[in-house]
Amino acid sequence: MRVRSAWLEELELDLVEPFETSFGVERHRRVLLLSLEGSSGETGRAECVAARDPLYSSESVATARWMIGEYLLPDLLAHDTADPAEFLARVRYLKGHPMAKAAVEMALWDLHARERRLSLSAALGGRRRRVEVGVSVGIQPSVDALVRRVGDYLDEGYRRIKLKVRPGWDSEPVGAVRREYPDLRIWVDANQAYPPSAGPAVARWAVRTGVEQVEQPFAERELEAHARLNRSRKFRVCLDESVVDRASLEEAVRRKALSSLNVKPGRVGGLTASRELERISAAAGIPAWVGGMLETGVGRAHAVALATLANFVLPADLSASRRYYRSEIITSPFELGTGSTLAVPRGPGIGVELDERAVARARRRSRTYRATRS
Ligand code: OSB
Ligand code: MG
């Protein structure tokens, strides 16, 4: 592949409602949207999942814009690149910044698949035509509001609900949802908010309220605390932030710190890394699922394609477009289908096209980069 030019746009999009987690509230998202035009005339796209502030991870929109613009695109535009893996190998000397690298790598996957007239799912080796999904519900102003919100999502057809929790917002709201919906599959996600000493209390309310899975209750490095909680075996312990690459997953497996794995392609450095994590989790007998970072339709299309791989057996955090933004930036928004599923786009690459008017309305800055070699 030869990338002839690239453009990096920064969009501002309003969420349909605030999304509150243990680390903060998001009302809008700044999204970096990257387009790579190949000498073939095809264009590959991806978005960067970094948020405006470094609360969920150390990266931010500003650090990703800098990394992509100052290092990754100049490298890409100065070389021919056989495939995304070759690009990754070339930028390995640059430390860290997996979200920035993922944006470029994923746009290359889209371009590569489009040039080969393959859907991204097929290019990755995926099999499913629909992927099962759930919905992630933020912390609400009151327990009543939460129960109502969950009810609305169930009416829309979601069958698995993930509740964001933190100390002070856990056993009571989760218990209230359980009382209202005795058979519901309830997962919880704390985004590292509990100290290891809270493990026994977390286990007690999780069992009492019939929680199926507890995601990332403790800090990223607290593998031992996760392993201790995982011994209860009455619910799965899922790792999200703790797994950043192959080595961290292998260590977590060795220490029995997880019984479920959340793979977010935009967080772990892209689709090549995600596929590797899928393979390792499969070999270890650990069920995996694809997580979300409030992506637009572009990032959602990448994630949906990834979720067609064999070991993504648990429902993904990839909901319908209307759950996220007031205005979607793709022409065919994702809709929830029967059995709480999203259809996998069949067209070349990520299989979705930009709604240029919506992008123009959301655009706050934009920069073009051109090939430097002859
Ligand atoms: O921890 O899974 C998380 C969103 C932003 C940052 C972290 C997380 C999330 C979600 C959103 O839970 C899931 C989605 O995109 O639907
Ligand atoms: Mg999470």
Side-chain angles (χ1 to χ4, degrees):
M1 276 179 295
R2 262 166 168 261
V3 175
R4 225 169 28 194
S5 58
W7 54 109
L8 186 62
E9 296 165 282
E10 188 171 321
L11 313 181
E12 180 161 290
L13 294 164
D14 295 334
L15 285 161
V16 294
E17 59 184 60
F19 187 68
E20 182 167 357
T21 63
S22 64
F23 58 83
V25 191
E26 294 186 81
R27 292 186 174 80
H28 331 273
R29 243 191 90 215
R30 283 268 168 166
V31 181
L32 292 174
L33 176 66
L34 176 65
S35 302
L36 302 177
E37 188 197 20
S39 49
S40 58
E42 297 285 348
T43 298
R45 290 200 166 81
E47 72 181 87
C48 181
V49 300
R52 190 193 306 239
D53 304 310
L55 303 176
Y56 167 80
S57 91
S58 60
E59 291 180 83
S60 69
V61 169
T63 67
R65 192 199 310 120
W66 164 79
M67 188 68 191
I68 293 170
E70 298 297 317
Y71 293 93
L72 302 176
L73 292 181
D75 181 289
L76 185 66
L77 291 161
H79 298 91
D80 284 347
T81 304
D83 54 31
E86 185 183 304
F87 167 74
L88 287 175
R90 232 178 26 234
V91 298
R92 197 168 295 147
Y93 78 99
L94 296 164
K95 306 290 188 290
H97 300 279
M99 291 178 174
K101 288 175 180 169
V104 180
E105 193 253 14
M106 292 165 79
L108 280 173
W109 266 103
D110 182 29
L111 177 58
H112 195 49
R114 283 177 193 266
E115 289 181 349
R116 291 187 293 158
R117 301 279 177 275
L118 284 176
S119 70
L120 179 59
S121 166
L124 289 167
R127 299 248 178 273
R128 304 187 177 91
R129 294 170 68 155
R130 311 191 68 87
V131 298
E132 196 184 346
V133 303
V135 60
S136 175
V137 187
I139 293 167
Q140 302 291 314
S142 69
V143 171
D144 284 350
L146 176 69
V147 172
R148 274 198 306 275
R149 205 73 205 77
V150 168
D152 293 343
Y153 285 132
L154 296 180
D155 290 344
E156 286 176 37
Y158 294 103
R159 292 207 193 136
R160 178 233 92 190
I161 299 283
K162 174 169 125 179
L163 304 176
K164 289 290 187 178
V165 293
R166 66 162 175 235
W169 180 264
D170 47 30
S171 62
E172 196 197 335
V174 179
V177 172
R178 171 56 72 214
R179 274 192 300 283
E180 194 73 19
Y181 303 105
D183 302 321
L184 179 61
R185 290 180 78 173
I186 302 177
W187 296 4
V188 296
D189 184 1
N191 292 107
Q192 319 184 55
Y194 293 90
S197 60
V202 170
R204 275 194 301 278
W205 62 254
V207 170
R208 181 157 39 79
T209 59
V211 164
E212 176 185 323
Q213 169 168 299
V214 178
E215 180 174 345
Q216 198 73 47
F218 312 117
E220 186 178 322
R221 292 179 186 279
E222 297 285 1
L223 287 186
E224 201 41 52
H226 287 100
R228 238 177 293 138
L229 192 67
N230 198 28
R231 275 182 220 126
S232 122
R233 290 277 144 204
K234 300 237 170 59
F235 48 83
R236 292 189 300 271
V237 172
C238 175
L239 293 182
D240 176 356
E241 291 94 316
S242 292
V243 174
V244 297
D245 55 15
R246 171 197 192 119
S248 52
L249 175 56
E250 286 173 343
E251 187 184 356
V253 168
R254 202 162 49 242
R255 294 175 64 176
K256 299 185 162 48
L258 78 169
S259 38
S260 165
L261 175 66
N262 177 342
V263 178
K264 294 173 174 170
R267 176 178 77 69
V268 300
L271 293 163
T272 308
S274 298
R275 207 160 52 163
E276 184 177 39
L277 298 179
E278 187 262 352
R279 267 199 303 270
I280 296 170
S281 60
I286 292 170
W289 55 290
V290 175
M293 294 286 288
L294 308 176
E295 286 92 342
T296 71
V298 171
R300 189 163 315 286
H302 283 273
V304 164
L306 177 66
T308 63
L309 297 185
N311 197 43
F312 290 119
V313 291
L314 297 172
D317 262 354
L318 302 171
S319 310
S321 291
R322 55 174 295 202
R323 178 253 172 274
Y324 298 96
Y325 297 100
R326 289 189 202 283
S327 163
E328 175 58 286
I329 62 163
I330 58 171
T331 52
S332 303
F334 283 93
E335 286 174 9
L336 193 69
T338 51
S340 200
T341 62
L342 297 185
V344 180
R346 307 286 290 276
I350 58 175
V352 299
E353 302 305 325
L354 284 186
D355 178 338
E356 298 288 356
R357 297 234 301 270
V359 171
R361 274 198 306 274
R363 189 182 294 124
R364 295 295 176 270
R365 45 206 295 178
S366 172
R367 205 176 143 185
T368 304
Y369 302 78
R370 290 190 199 288
T372 46
R373 60 168 154 50
S374 51

